[in-house]
């Protein structure tokens, strides 16, 4: 009876110990398998986007060539439709199909709509968010730039059709043709850049030789054709009646040549991208299988070890039972053995607690890695978007400048409109600068600066830009103390904090509101602390709730109806580059205080 009771207790304890050992292993295996499964699903979704582009490509080429459409007999209404549904863009796809059915739709409008659909598919399938350099550039080539080439080419051809040439030989729309040729050249250069960039990421660059050669031809052909257009323009002006027809023939030959090279680059880029993604999926699936196999083997070994331990324990218990029946000495020995087992159990409990702590640390580290990966992808996407917006914005600025010069002194009455346009351009340029500043890490240009004198200069310059009702107080406690800082970047920190404080109290521009505080006031203070140099900017505005305070440093988060939500994240990034940090003290209805600190001595960096 004693043996059965003792065996039952031992079985319960050992089962509990084995369970505690297996639980963290199972949790860790589940987290790793889930992460790997997500990576596989991400790559498989990218493959759906590649397949959609392959199914959509023949239709885009027919639209560009002006050939009759037979969508019912192509893969377009079958395979492409199913792929669009899988990407969650059935509505956009059916809208495009309805446009195809309209007999009065110009080809250029259909091509533009098709390109928008390709870009949507690239976005929905995560192609433009691929974390690997080679596949990312191939994705932009096949999912975006190839379609841009076709769209811009059709734009050029539409400008060179008969409506731009008069029978008398006078050329109309020459500036439009030049503009469209410029856009086509820019698209070709982007395609070439993506091809070269993809080749630099691979360990087999020779496999890109043909694709690089094709993209190089594409980048050179628009410029060559531009000279042909100029020569034909001169021929038309000189009265050659055959020049318009020659230009039309040359345009058709040029279009067929460009379309052929674009199609070749599109096919080659899609094939390489598809092969790379399939290889990635296969590799991840193999790793997942091996990991699951290893986890199963580890579990079996653990169970076998537990069974062995259980058998050994029962054997020892049988000996203890026999010793108990023989003498009291055996009983004392059994009690000593029990104390030893208790010590082992305590050691195992300590080990389990240590394992639980390690699992928690691993989970936190994994979350941080995922967060940094997402931020890197966001930064890359933000930099790409900002770069693509700055080129057309520069064209708008130049055009407005030329228009102002043309109407200067003519009393056209459009000066307010030009002023509004220029303000809008400046605002957009500032937003793009914020985006680029957040997305890119720049080396600091450090030099020794008297902090109080520098703060005084920055505050005086910014004070004139703030509303008159906002008062500014400075309490400078550093004297002649100096520190190594990047004046330009740190100036933007102070200006950003002052502007935020002012906007929190009285709003901005035509969105100004009555201050919730009596007498809106900004207090700026400098001092030395145990952390180094500290600069604080305090306001008596409405303050922030705990929820807003917890998210105020997140990129793109803002409580305003204007702005990008990147101001404070950029401030934190600049201060951290100086080796310091940013503290925020706030309470609802009691204002906010932003305190930044930097070490007193830093190592100077040269510009990259």
């Amino acid at each position: 009876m004693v043996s059965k009771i003792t065996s039952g207790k031992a079985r319960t304890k050992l089962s509990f110990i084995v369970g505690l050992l297996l639980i963290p292993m199972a949790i860790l295996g589940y987290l790793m398998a889930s992460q790997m499964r997500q990576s596989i699903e991400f790559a498989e979704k990218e493959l759906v986007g590649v397949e959609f582009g392959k199914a959509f490509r023949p239709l885009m080429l027919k639209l560009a060539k002006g050939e009759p459409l037979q969508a019912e007999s192509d893969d377009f209404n079958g395979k492409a439709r199913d792929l669009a549904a899988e990407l969650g863009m059935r509505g956009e796809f059916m809208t495009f199909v309805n446009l195809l059915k309209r007999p009065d739709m110009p080809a250029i409008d259909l091509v533009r709509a098709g390109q928008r659909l390709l870009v949507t598919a690239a976005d929905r399938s995560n192609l433009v968010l691929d974390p690997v350099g080679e596949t990312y550039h191939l994705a932009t080539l096949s999912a975006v730039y190839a379609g841009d080439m076709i769209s811009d080419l059709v734009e050029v051809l539409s400008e060179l059709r008969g409506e731009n040439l008069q029978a008398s030989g006078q050329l109309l729309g020459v500036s439009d043709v030049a503009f469209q040729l410029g856009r086509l050249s820019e698209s070709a250069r982007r395609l070439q850049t993506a091809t070269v960039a993809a080749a630099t990421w691979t360990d087999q660059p020779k496999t890109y030789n043909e694709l690089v050669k094709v993209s190089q031809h594409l980048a050179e052909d628009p410029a060559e054709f531009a000279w042909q257009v100029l020569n034909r323009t001169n021929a038309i002006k000189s009265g050659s009646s055959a020049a318009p027809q020659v230009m039309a023939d040359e345009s058709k030959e040029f279009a067929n040549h460009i379309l052929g090279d674009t199609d070749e680059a599109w096919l080659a880029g899609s094939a390489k991208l598809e092969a790379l993604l399939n290889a990635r999926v296969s590799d991840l699936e193999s790793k997942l299988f091996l990991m699951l196999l290893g986890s199963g083997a580890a579990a079996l070994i653990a169970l076998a070890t537990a069974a062995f331990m259980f058998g050994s324990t029962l054997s020892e218990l049988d000996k203890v039972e026999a010793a108990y029946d023989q003498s009291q000495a055996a009983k004392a020995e059994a009690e000593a053995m029990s104390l030893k087992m208790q010590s082992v159990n305590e050691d195992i409990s300590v080990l389990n607690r240590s394992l639980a702590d390690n699992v928690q640390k691993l989970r936190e580290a994994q979350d941080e890695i995922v967060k940094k990966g997402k931020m890197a992808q966001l930064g890359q996407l933000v930099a790409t978007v900002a770069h693509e917006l700055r080129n057309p914005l520069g064209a708008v600025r130049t055009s407005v400048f030329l228009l102002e010069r043309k109407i200067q002194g003519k009393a056209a009455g459009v000066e307010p409109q030009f002023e509004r346009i220029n303000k809008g351009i400046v605002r957009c340029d500032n937003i793009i600068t914020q985006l680029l500043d957040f997305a890119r890490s720049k080396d600091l240009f450090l030099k020794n600066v008297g902090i109080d004198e520098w703060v005084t200069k920055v505050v005086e310059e910014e004070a004139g830009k703030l509303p008159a009702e906002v008062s500014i107080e400075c309490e400078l406690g550093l004297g002649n103390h100096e520190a190594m800082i990047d004046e330009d970047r740190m100036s933007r920190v102070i200006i950003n904090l002052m502007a935020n404080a002012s906007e929190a109290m009285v709003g901005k521009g035509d969105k100004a509101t009555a201050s919730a505080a009596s007498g809106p006031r900004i207090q700026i203070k400098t001092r030395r602390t145990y952390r180094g140099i500290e600069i604080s900017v305090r306001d008596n505005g409405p303050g922030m709730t705990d929820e807003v305070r917890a998210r105020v440093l997140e990129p793109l988060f803002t409580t305003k109806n204007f702005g990008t939500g990147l101001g404070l994240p950029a401030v934190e990034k600049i201060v951290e580059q100086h080796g310091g940090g940013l503290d925020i003290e706030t309470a609802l209805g009691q204002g906010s205080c932003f305190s930044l600190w930097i070490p007193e001595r830093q190592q100077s960096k040269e510009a990259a």
Side-chain angles (χ1 to χ4, degrees):
M1 183 65 181
V2 173
S3 178
K4 291 182 178 179
I5 294 175
T6 305
S7 298
K9 290 182 178 178
R11 184 183 292 110
T12 301
K13 289 182 178 180
L14 286 171
S15 299
F16 179 70
I17 292 171
V18 173
L20 288 179
L21 289 171
L22 290 177
I23 286 174
M25 292 175 60
I27 293 175
L28 180 60
Y30 172 77
L31 292 175
M32 293 178 65
S34 298
Q35 181 67 25
M36 199 167 293
R37 185 65 249 179
Q38 289 177 2
S39 299
I40 292 174
E41 292 174 354
F42 190 94
E44 288 176 340
K45 194 170 184 180
E46 288 186 87
L47 282 171
V48 175
V50 175
E51 288 295 325
F52 180 83
K54 290 170 60 179
F56 200 78
R57 180 187 60 81
L59 182 68
M60 285 287 287
L61 293 174
K62 284 187 177 183
L63 289 173
K65 294 178 180 179
E67 296 178 357
L69 302 178
Q70 296 178 351
E72 295 78 5
S73 60
D74 293 332
D75 287 342
F76 177 71
N77 259 349
K79 184 176 182 180
R81 179 181 56 199
D82 295 339
L83 293 171
E86 190 172 347
L87 292 174
M89 46 184 285
R90 183 189 296 273
E92 293 90 336
F93 182 82
M94 294 310 300
T95 299
F96 179 74
V97 170
N98 292 332
L99 290 178
L100 290 177
K101 294 178 180 180
R102 292 176 55 181
D104 58 336
M105 283 296 295
I108 181 59
D109 292 339
L110 291 175
V111 170
R112 289 171 182 159
Q115 173 60 3
R116 288 194 295 269
L117 194 61
L118 281 172
V119 172
T120 301
D123 178 61
R124 298 285 178 85
S125 62
N126 298 326
L127 280 171
V128 294
L129 296 177
D130 191 281
V132 181
E134 182 179 6
T135 47
Y136 167 76
H137 290 294
L138 285 175
T140 56
L141 184 154
S142 59
V144 180
Y145 297 151
D148 285 345
M149 282 290 299
I150 294 176
S151 178
D152 292 341
L153 176 63
V154 175
E155 291 273 9
V156 171
L157 295 178
S158 67
E159 296 296 340
L160 290 174
R161 289 199 181 108
E163 57 266 25
N164 286 326
L165 299 172
Q166 291 184 352
S168 62
Q170 182 182 359
L171 182 64
L172 300 179
V174 173
S175 61
D176 293 335
V177 173
F179 177 76
Q180 297 302 338
L181 279 170
R183 287 186 56 179
L184 180 62
S185 297
E186 182 63 26
S187 296
R189 283 193 295 271
R190 286 199 298 266
L191 189 146
Q192 182 187 20
T193 300
T195 303
V196 174
T200 60
W201 279 90
T202 183
D203 55 356
Q204 296 179 339
K206 291 184 179 180
T207 61
Y208 281 85
N209 287 347
E210 290 301 323
L211 184 55
V212 169
K213 185 181 298 182
V214 172
S215 65
Q216 183 177 359
H217 290 165
L218 282 173
E220 295 171 353
D221 288 344
E224 180 180 346
F225 186 70
W227 281 108
Q228 295 180 8
V229 170
L230 179 62
N231 292 333
R232 294 305 173 194
T233 301
N234 294 330
I236 292 172
K237 289 181 177 181
S238 66
S240 174
S241 59
Q245 182 58 42
V246 172
M247 181 175 287
D249 294 339
E250 291 178 346
S251 300
K252 184 175 181 180
E253 181 182 353
F254 167 71
N256 290 334
H257 179 66
I258 290 294
L259 282 176
D261 285 348
T262 302
D263 186 32
E264 183 178 349
W266 193 346
L267 281 173
S270 297
K272 283 183 175 292
L273 177 60
E274 186 176 18
L276 289 172
L277 291 176
N278 281 322
R280 185 189 302 174
V281 171
S282 298
D283 181 60
L284 289 173
E285 288 177 342
S286 298
K287 290 180 179 178
L288 179 60
F289 173 76
L290 292 175
M291 186 191 71
L292 294 176
L293 184 62
S295 299
L300 290 176
I301 293 173
L303 291 174
T305 304
F308 175 76
M309 291 174 61
F310 181 70
S312 299
T313 303
L314 289 180
S315 177
E316 290 298 324
L317 287 173
D318 290 339
K319 292 179 181 180
V320 171
E321 177 66 17
Y324 178 81
D325 293 338
Q326 292 175 2
S327 65
Q328 292 297 322
K331 179 181 178 181
E333 185 180 352
E335 289 176 352
M337 181 64 69
S338 177
L339 291 175
K340 183 182 291 187
M341 290 296 296
Q342 183 178 358
S343 177
V344 171
N345 287 337
E346 290 176 355
D347 291 341
I348 293 177
S349 297
V350 172
L351 177 61
N352 286 335
R353 287 194 296 270
S354 177
L355 285 174
D357 292 339
N358 289 336
V359 169
Q360 179 62 28
K361 292 178 181 178
L362 180 61
R363 184 183 293 110
E364 292 174 356
Q366 185 180 25
D367 292 341
E368 184 65 20
I369 290 172
V370 172
K371 180 179 177 181
K372 289 182 178 179
K374 290 181 178 178
M375 290 300 297
Q377 292 177 357
L378 176 61
Q380 188 176 20
L381 180 60
V382 165
T384 302
V385 171
H387 178 72
E388 291 298 324
L389 287 177
R390 177 152 281 174
N391 289 336
L393 187 64
V396 172
R397 179 186 284 112
T398 302
S399 300
V400 170
F401 173 76
L402 294 175
L403 287 174
E404 285 182 320
R405 292 188 59 182
K406 286 186 177 181
I407 66 169
Q408 187 175 9
K410 296 183 179 180
V414 294
E415 288 77 8
Q417 286 74 16
F418 278 120
E419 182 179 0
R420 185 179 305 169
I421 292 173
N422 285 322
K423 288 182 177 179
I425 292 173
V426 172
R427 181 179 178 186
C428 291
D429 191 67
N430 289 336
I431 291 174
I432 292 173
T433 300
Q434 286 187 359
L435 290 172
L436 290 174
D437 193 53
F438 174 76
R440 299 173 179 172
S441 295
K442 299 179 179 178
D443 287 338
L444 300 179
F445 293 86
L446 301 177
K447 68 177 184 178
N448 220 16
V449 176
I451 299 299
D452 281 356
E453 181 180 358
W454 168 76
V455 169
T456 301
K457 178 182 177 182
V458 173
V459 171
E460 287 177 352
E461 291 177 356
E462 182 62 14
K465 304 176 183 178
L466 299 181
E469 61 267 29
V470 178
S471 63
I472 300 176
E473 299 178 0
C474 291
E475 182 178 343
L476 307 179
L478 295 176
N480 295 326
H481 191 75
E482 296 181 344
M484 298 290 291
I485 64 171
D486 185 324
E487 286 186 275
D488 181 61
R489 304 203 76 190
M490 287 296 291
S491 295
R492 285 154 63 186
V493 169
I494 303 301
I495 291 170
N496 197 312
L497 293 178
M498 291 179 63
N500 280 355
S502 173
E503 291 166 8
M505 294 185 293
V506 301
K508 179 179 180 181
D510 55 359
K511 299 180 178 61
T513 58
S515 173
S518 175
R521 183 176 67 257
I522 299 176
Q523 294 177 307
I524 301 171
K525 185 176 181 180
T526 63
R527 60 177 181 170
R528 295 178 68 184
T529 67
Y530 69 96
R531 296 184 297 189
I533 303 299
E534 183 173 309
I535 305 173
S536 62
V537 179
R538 182 184 298 274
D539 63 68
N540 61 342
M544 292 180 280
T545 64
D546 292 340
E547 292 78 10
V548 173
R549 168 62 186 86
R551 300 187 58 195
V552 72
L553 294 177
E554 292 181 9
L556 306 180
F557 173 78
T558 180
T559 59
K560 308 172 186 176
N561 55 5
F562 56 88
T564 62
L566 293 176
L568 287 177
V571 167
E572 184 183 40
K573 187 174 181 180
I574 293 172
V575 175
E576 288 178 350
Q577 279 188 297
H578 282 77
L582 178 67
D583 296 331
I584 303 176
E585 300 176 6
T586 184
L588 196 60
Q590 299 182 21
S592 302
C593 180
F594 292 81
S595 301
L596 63 95
W597 60 271
I598 57 175
E600 294 188 28
R601 290 289 182 267
Q602 301 182 54
Q603 184 177 359
S604 181
K605 299 180 180 180
E606 294 296 331

